[in-house]
Amino acid sequence: MKSSTVLDDIITDDKLHEECGVFGVYLNDPSRDAASLVYYGLLSLQHRGQESAGIAATKDKAIEYRKGMGLVSDVFTPEILEQIKGSSAVGHVRYSTMGSSTIDNAQPFVSRFKLGSIAVAHNGTLTNANVVRELLEDAGIGFTSSSDSEVIVNLIAKNYKKGLERALTDTIQFIKGSYALAVLTDEVLVGARDPNGIRPLCLGQLDGGWILASESCAIDAIGGKFVRDIEPGEVVIIGKDQVLTFSFSEKTRRAVCSFEYVYFARPDSIIDKVDVYGARIRAGEILGRESAVAADLVIGVPDSGIPAAIGYGRATKTPYGLGIVKSKYVGRTFISPNQIQREKAVSVKHNVIASEVKDKRVVIIDDSIVRGTTSRRLVAILKGAGAKEVHIRVCSPPVRCPCYFGIDTPHRKDLISNGNSVSELCRSLGADSLAFISVEGLLEALDGQGGYCLGCFTGEYPIPVPGEAGDGC
Ligand code: SF4
C-alpha cells in the first residue's frame, strides 16, 4: 500500500476536483453592464475552479474578453472590468485536467470569423475530443490550446454559415462526453447541457434579463431568481425579448454526477431539484443507520463533512461538535517542500481542538476518501490530541475508478479503495473502525429516484468511455 508524506498530503490535495464553473448574463437593455454581474457570479462559483478565470462580453455586436491565471478577484480589477463592459457576457472559472494549467487553456474560448464572433465557456470533458480535433486540423483549422473545450468553439465557428441554431445542433450532436455550456454570440446567449445532464446548469431570471449558471447559488449572489434546471439534451437561446428552447437529442437519460451533491457543489445550491445541504444531512443520517458505532462525539471534516456529521449525530443520538478546524486559505501549490518542517506541516491544513476530543471516542465524517492521505493524518492528529478511539464514516461509497466527465481523479493505482478491502484500508489509516455509505444509501440520500452517475464508485459509466469496459471495477 502506497505511503505518503505530510507534504504529499498538502501539495497533492487529497480530494477529487471539480473542473470548471460557467456563468452567463443577458440583459435586454443594451446600456446596462453584464460583465460586472458575471464577475459576482464567478466569485460564487470560485469553489469549482481556482486556477484561471475569464469573462467575455458583447457590446455593439462585438465580443471583448479578458482572462488570466488565478482567482477571479486576482484576474479582474475594476480597471479590467471597465474594459469589457457589454450587455451580455459569459464567464468561466477553471481547474485544469484536460490540458495543462496555462493561460492558453483559460476560458472562455473566443473565435472571431467572417460571419461574427462567439465565446464558449465549458464545464465537462469531451470523450471524443482527440478525434474531433484531428478532423478539424485536417480541415485546416488551427488550435491555440491543448484544451478539449476549444474543439467546441471551432466546431460552432465552422458550422456557423448554416445559421446559429443549426450550427449548435450539429456541433453538440457531434461531440461526446459531458458538457454544460454557456455560449455568447454577437446577439444571443446560449445554454446547453449534454444528453445525460452529467454536469449541472440552471436558468435564472433578473429584472430585465436572464442568467445561466453552473449552480443556483450564483444566481442568488446577483439577486436573480432561480427559474429551473436546463434539461439533459436541451438548448436554450436567449435573445432580445425572447427565450427559445429545444431538445437536440431524443436519447436523453439523466445521469447527473452524484459527487456534485457529496462534495463539489456549494451546500446552498439546488441541483436538478435536490437541495445539496439536505442531501448531505440525509447521507449522514443513512450512514448512522447503516453503520452506527458507540461514541462520545461526532465531528465533520470541513467543509462538506459537516452537514453529514450533523445528520449522523441526529440519527445515532451522538453529540455533534466542532473538533477539526481547516485553514480555508491553503492552496494546492502554496508551499514548496523545503519551506516548512515536516512535523508542523499537518496543522497548516487541518488542526484539532484538543479540549473537544480528549479522552473521547470520536467519529469523524468525511465526504470521500481518495488517496487516503488526509484521513491517515486526521486519525494521527486526533489520537495525538488524546482521542481514545477514532472511527471514520464516509458519506460516499469507496472511489475505485477514474472519472472521465470533468472531474480530476488520480490514476486508478493511487485510489486507495482500488484493490484494498475496507478492513485493509482501516488498518492502513490507523482507525478503530471504517465504514462507507452504500451505493443504495447514497441514492436514497439524493432523491431515491435514480438518474445519477455513479461511475467512480461502480465503474458503470452512463456513456461509453474509450478504454473502459464500463461494467464495473
Ligand atoms: S464518474 Fe464520479 S465524479 Fe465523474 S461524473 Fe460520475 S459520479 Fe461524478
Side-chain angles (χ1 to χ4, degrees):
M1 197 168 281
K2 187 176 180 280
S3 69
S4 63
T5 67
V6 173
L7 288 168
D8 283 342
D9 176 9
I10 292 172
I11 291 161
T12 56
D13 196 2
D14 180 26
K15 285 289 168 200
L16 299 187
H17 281 275
E18 182 57 74
E19 206 179 316
C20 302
V22 302
F23 194 77
V25 170
Y26 183 96
L27 299 171
N28 292 322
D29 178 351
S31 67
R32 287 177 69 193
D33 176 37
S36 54
L37 293 173
V38 169
Y39 170 83
Y40 288 109
L42 290 183
L43 284 180
S44 305
L45 296 175
Q46 189 76 83
H47 59 289
R48 298 181 74 86
Q50 296 98 43
E51 292 192 353
S52 66
I55 297 176
T58 301
K59 187 169 193 186
D60 301 330
K61 301 207 169 186
I63 293 180
E64 275 300 327
Y65 67 97
R66 296 287 182 277
K67 45 192 182 180
M69 302 304 292
L71 301 176
V72 177
S73 56
D74 298 332
V75 175
F76 291 99
T77 60
E79 295 73 35
I80 289 180
L81 280 172
E82 267 305 304
Q83 296 162 13
I84 49 167
K85 282 191 156 180
S87 58
S88 52
V90 292
H92 189 270
V93 285
R94 177 169 194 265
Y95 173 90
S96 64
T97 57
M98 284 284 272
S100 55
S101 178
T102 69
I103 185 64
D104 291 342
N105 289 330
Q107 296 192 37
F109 283 109
V110 176
S111 175
R112 297 189 174 107
F113 46 99
K114 212 163 75 185
L115 298 173
S117 45
I118 51 171
V120 171
H122 169 215
N123 175 207
T125 297
L126 304 187
T127 51
N128 65 342
N130 290 345
V131 177
V132 182
R133 189 182 176 109
E134 253 180 63
L135 287 171
L136 288 168
E137 283 175 338
D138 287 349
I141 293 168
F143 283 79
T144 58
S145 77
S146 57
S147 164
D148 62 329
S149 308
E150 198 183 0
V151 306
I152 302 172
V153 74
N154 284 344
L155 260 181
I156 299 175
K158 181 171 177 288
N159 290 326
Y160 210 81
K161 56 181 173 299
K162 302 173 188 170
L164 174 67
E165 211 174 299
R166 186 72 198 284
L168 282 169
T169 337
D170 284 4
T171 297
I172 49 195
Q173 278 172 344
F174 200 47
I175 56 179
K176 306 263 178 282
S178 62
Y179 48 89
L181 298 173
V183 179
L184 187 68
T185 75
D186 299 339
E187 304 204 345
V188 295
L189 172 68
V190 181
R193 204 170 167 200
D194 70 70
N196 298 101
I198 295 174
R199 303 260 73 87
L201 186 66
C202 57
L203 180 70
Q205 199 164 16
L206 264 180
D207 187 24
W210 295 90
I211 308 164
L212 290 169
S214 288
E215 289 182 40
S216 61
C217 67
I219 295 175
D220 301 339
I222 64 163
K225 190 170 122 257
F226 173 81
V227 175
R228 65 177 178 86
D229 297 288
I230 306 297
E231 294 298 322
E234 183 185 10
V235 173
V236 177
I237 302 179
I238 302 164
K240 181 116 185 85
D241 301 322
Q242 67 160 6
V243 177
L244 172 72
T245 158
F246 61 93
S247 176
F248 64 86
S249 171
E250 281 164 17
K251 291 191 194 144
T252 59
R253 189 172 64 87
R254 195 171 77 104
V256 65
C257 170
S258 51
F259 236 114
E260 289 281 352
Y261 300 93
V262 167
Y263 172 63
F264 303 131
R266 259 179 45 167
D268 50 339
S269 286
I270 297 170
I271 297 175
D272 285 350
K273 303 187 179 69
V274 177
D275 113 82
V276 173
Y277 179 76
R280 287 179 190 166
I281 293 268
R282 284 194 296 280
E285 289 169 348
I286 292 163
L287 256 180
R289 194 180 74 209
E290 289 184 344
S291 57
V293 61
D296 307 303
L297 178 73
V298 56
I299 58 183
V301 180
D303 295 313
S304 41
I306 289 175
I310 294 171
Y312 180 95
R314 280 182 199 161
T316 59
K317 308 227 176 328
T318 308
Y320 164 79
L322 188 70
I324 299 172
V325 177
K326 177 184 168 188
S327 170
K328 292 192 190 325
Y329 306 102
V330 178
R332 289 179 72 235
T333 53
F334 80 110
I335 209 158
S336 66
N338 58 6
Q339 275 179 286
I340 53 170
Q341 292 172 337
R342 179 191 163 94
E343 65 271 19
K344 290 204 175 142
V346 73
S347 33
V348 172
K349 192 166 168 185
H350 288 117
N351 201 10
V352 165
I353 301 173
S355 58
E356 180 73 346
V357 301
K358 192 168 182 324
D359 297 328
K360 288 184 181 156
R361 297 167 299 168
V362 177
V363 181
I364 53 173
I365 310 280
D366 206 349
D367 51 71
S368 55
I369 294 184
V370 180
R371 292 182 176 85
T373 47
T374 299
S375 311
R376 192 176 293 118
R377 303 294 170 205
L378 286 175
V379 172
I381 59 174
L382 282 162
K383 291 207 165 172
K388 262 198 313 206
E389 294 172 15
V390 179
H391 304 270
I392 305 176
R393 296 293 177 269
V394 188
C395 43
S396 62
V399 178
R400 295 201 171 101
C401 307
C403 174
Y404 298 92
F405 310 122
I407 300 303
D408 182 30
T409 345
H411 292 296
R412 194 182 292 256
K413 68 177 172 39
D414 293 327
L415 296 169
I416 198 168
S417 293
N418 187 284
N420 292 307
S421 67
V422 173
S423 54
E424 284 170 326
L425 214 61
C426 182
R427 267 198 305 281
S428 156
L429 301 180
D432 292 282
S433 75
L434 167 69
F436 295 82
I437 197 170
S438 64
V439 168
E440 298 71 29
L442 175 62
L443 289 174
E444 184 187 336
L446 302 183
D447 60 5
Q449 314 246 329
Y452 296 96
C453 176
L454 297 162
C456 51
F457 310 122
T458 63
E460 291 164 27
Y461 298 102
I463 46 177
V465 173
E468 283 280 353
D471 54 359
C473 55

